[in-house]
Amino acid sequence: MRASDLPLTYNAVSILEHNLASRPDKVALVSAERELTFAAAAAEANQVGGALRRLGVRQGETVALLGLDSAEWVCAYFGILKVGGVALSMNTLLTPHEHAYILRDGRARVLIVHQTLLPAVEPVRDQLEFLEHVVVIGGPGRAGDPVYAGWIAGEPAELAAEPTHRDDLCCLNYSSGTTGEPKGIPHAHKDLPLTAALWGVNVLGLRASDRTFATAKLFFTFGTGGNLIFPWHVGASVVLMAGPPRITANVLETIQRFKPTLFYNAPTGYAATLAQPDFETRYDLSSLRLCVSAGEALPAPIWQAWKERTGLSIIDGIGCTENYHIFISNRPDEIRPGSSGRPVPGYEVKLVDEVGAEVPQGEIGTLLVKGETASLFYVHQYERSQKTFLGPWLNTGDKYFVDEDGYYWHAGRTDDMLKVGGIWVSPVEVESTLISHPAVLECAVIGRGDQSNLVKPKAYVVLQAGQAPTDALREELIAYCREQMADYKRPRWIEFVSELPKTATGKIQRFRLRAGEA
Ligand code: 3UK
C-alpha cells in the first residue's frame, strides 16, 4: 500500500467506521470497566465530536488527551479525528511542569483528562494561556468543568466527518531529547492506515479474528498503533488495561481473563514476567499465538527463555515516534533472536558514517530510514527538525550493523539518550535532579545493563565537601529522584567518586564512564 492509494480527502476515523458495514455488533474493545461494539464505539466517538464542535473546535486545532487506557480515551481520540482535530496524546507519567510545556507548545485549547490525573495539571492550569476547556472523565473537576459522561450525553450518535486531506495532521505525541524540552511529533491521517498495512498486516499478519493487548499505553504510538489502529484496521478487537503495566500479575490476569491472541510488551516487561516463578502454569496464556517486543532491543536470552517457558515467539522490531511505528522487524516465520530483523517492505534503510556515506556491510553506522509514514518536523523546533528530517530520510539516532543475511543488529545510540523499559530517559535530566540535592556537587548518568542486560540509569556522584558516601545517602538520593521525576527515571545504582572524567573545556565525558562499565 502506498499513500497515493488513499483518496485525497481521507479522515483516519474510517479505521473505526469501516467496521460499521461489515461487523457493527462485534466487540471492538474490552476492558475491566467497559465493553464496546464497533457500532457503540463509533456512536460515542460521534458524540465526543459533536461536543467538541459545540466548544468551537475546528479542523487543525489541537485537543489534548490525558487519560488511562480506556473506552473513553479511544472514543475521545476518534472523536477528535472525526472533527479534523489533532489528538495530542499525553504521557500520563510526566510532572505538572512537563504537562504545562506540552499543553502550551501543542496549543491545546481543550483538554480531556481523567479525574485521577487532574492533580498533575491542576497546579499549572492557570498558567496556560491557550487552554480554555477542561473536560473531566470519571467525575467532577473544578466547578464549571464539563464531566465527560454528561458532556456527551445530549449529543447525537450521528455526525458528518470533517473532509480532511490525507496529509492533514491528525495526531501529536511528545518525545524527550537529551537536553531541552520534549519534541512534538505530528503525524498525518495517512500515516495510520499505511503503518497498519505495511507492518500490522504484511509483517505481523493481523486478521479480524485477532484480539490484541499491549502493555505499551495508548499514548505511545507503539501502543496506539499496535493496540488500536492496526487491529481496528482489520476488524480485530482490542483489550485495554487502565492500570500500570509494571504490575506483572495484573498483566497476566488480563491475558487470562480477556484472551488476546497477540501481546505487545517491552523487553523489561518480558524480563519481569520471566522472573515470576511458574507464571506459565499459574496463568492460562493459551489464547496467545504471537508476541511483539519494541521500545528497546530484546536480548536473545530473553527471547529463548520466553520461547522455552511459553512456547511463544516474540517478534522484535524497531520503530520510533517520528516514523509512527515499526520499520525494521523480524517475521513470524523468520526470526533471528537478538536482532531487530529486516527492513519492512515499504521502507528503505541505510547505515551511514559521519559524512553521510554508506558504511560497508558488517560495520556500524547511523540508521536512516525512508518511507511514507515519517513525520515532517518537530513542532516549533526548526533546527532540531533539520537535523532529523533529512529530505526523504529520517535520522533515527540509532547505531546499527547489518549481518550477511540482511538482519539488523542494534549497537547503541548516537546521542546519550537511554531507553529504560522502552521509555526515553535523558541522562541530563537525571543529573540536574541529582545536582539539585544539597549533598551533591556534580554527577554523571549513563546506562548500565542489569541482570537481563537491559539498560537502567547509573549515576556517578561527587559529593559536596563534608558529606560522607554512605548507603543511607545513596538511598536518600534515589528517593529524592523518585519525588522529583517519573519513577522509572531514578538511578538504580549510585557510585560515589572523587572526580568525573572531563574534556579540557570541562564537559563530562560520559563515554569514558561507559567504557569503564564495559
Ligand atoms: C529505540 C529500539 C532497539 C531506538 C516505538 C515501536 O520505541 C518507539 O518509539 P520512541 O520514539 O523511541 C524510538 C527509539 O527507541 N528502539 C525502539 N524499538 C527498538 N531499539 N530495538 C528495538 N526493537 O533507539 C529508537 O530510535 O519512544 C517502537 C513502535 C512505535 C514506537 N514509537
Side-chain angles (χ1 to χ4, degrees), residues 175 185 220-223 293-298 316-322 324-326 340 396-398 400 410 413 419 422-424:
S175 182
I185 304 174
F220 294 116
T221 65
F222 179 34
S293 175
E296 59 183 315
L298 179 73
D316 186 7
I318 175 177
C320 62
T321 311
E322 286 84 345
Y324 198 74
H325 220 267
I326 293 175
S340 302
T396 63
D398 289 296
Y400 264 84
H410 192 248
R413 293 276 312 165
K419 263 310 186 77
I423 314 179
W424 286 125

Side-chain angles (χ1 to χ4, degrees), residues 63-308:
V63 177
L65 189 50
L66 176 60
L68 309 172
D69 281 13
S70 60
E72 291 81 3
W73 194 101
V74 168
C75 294
Y77 183 86
F78 278 105
I80 297 166
L81 266 53
K82 182 120 191 198
V83 300
V86 178
L88 165 50
S89 308
M90 296 177 65
N91 183 335
T92 57
L93 306 168
L94 302 182
T95 59
H97 166 79
E98 291 166 306
H99 287 319
Y101 177 83
I102 290 168
L103 286 164
R104 182 178 289 119
D105 190 61
R107 299 292 187 261
R109 195 165 69 84
V110 180
L111 165 68
I112 303 177
V113 54
H114 260 99
Q115 196 188 26
T116 51
L117 293 163
L118 209 47
V121 282
E122 202 50 50
V124 292
R125 183 172 160 180
D126 295 327
Q127 306 157 20
L128 300 173
E129 62 273 33
F130 303 110
L131 188 67
E132 288 175 24
H133 304 281
V134 176
V135 178
V136 184
I137 300 170
R142 262 191 211 175
D145 290 345
V147 176
Y148 177 89
W151 181 61
I152 64 166
E155 298 295 332
E158 303 284 326
L159 184 76
E162 192 71 15
T164 47
H165 193 285
R166 68 188 181 208
D167 281 312
D168 272 328
L169 301 181
C170 78
C171 61
L172 180 58
N173 291 77
Y174 277 78
S175 182
S176 29
T178 321
T179 52
E181 302 289 0
K183 304 165 285 190
I185 304 174
H187 275 283
H189 285 268
K190 73 173 200 328
D191 300 339
L192 278 49
L194 275 173
T195 46
L198 294 179
W199 182 79
V201 175
N202 296 349
V203 171
L204 195 59
L206 261 170
R207 40 194 189 246
S209 55
D210 277 316
R211 193 175 251 230
T212 62
F213 175 49
T215 57
K217 292 290 160 188
L218 288 171
F219 63 77
F220 294 116
T221 65
F222 179 34
T224 346
N227 204 30
L228 180 61
I229 303 299
F230 306 169
W232 282 12
H233 177 77
V234 300
S237 313
V238 307
V239 177
L240 298 181
M241 183 183 85
R246 275 176 293 118
I247 304 170
T248 314
N250 293 354
V251 172
L252 292 166
E253 271 158 29
T254 302
I255 296 175
Q256 172 163 289
R257 175 165 171 202
F258 294 113
K259 306 202 175 341
T261 59
L262 291 167
F263 177 52
Y264 303 78
N265 207 347
T268 8
Y270 288 111
T273 311
L274 287 165
Q276 306 288 316
D278 305 324
F279 78 91
E280 67 276 31
T281 50
R282 286 193 291 127
Y283 296 91
D284 178 9
L285 307 177
S286 62
S287 62
L288 294 174
R289 67 175 179 90
L290 195 58
C291 302
V292 175
S293 175
E296 59 183 315
L298 179 73
I302 297 183
W303 192 96
Q304 300 290 1
W306 190 259
K307 182 78 176 177
E308 272 157 33

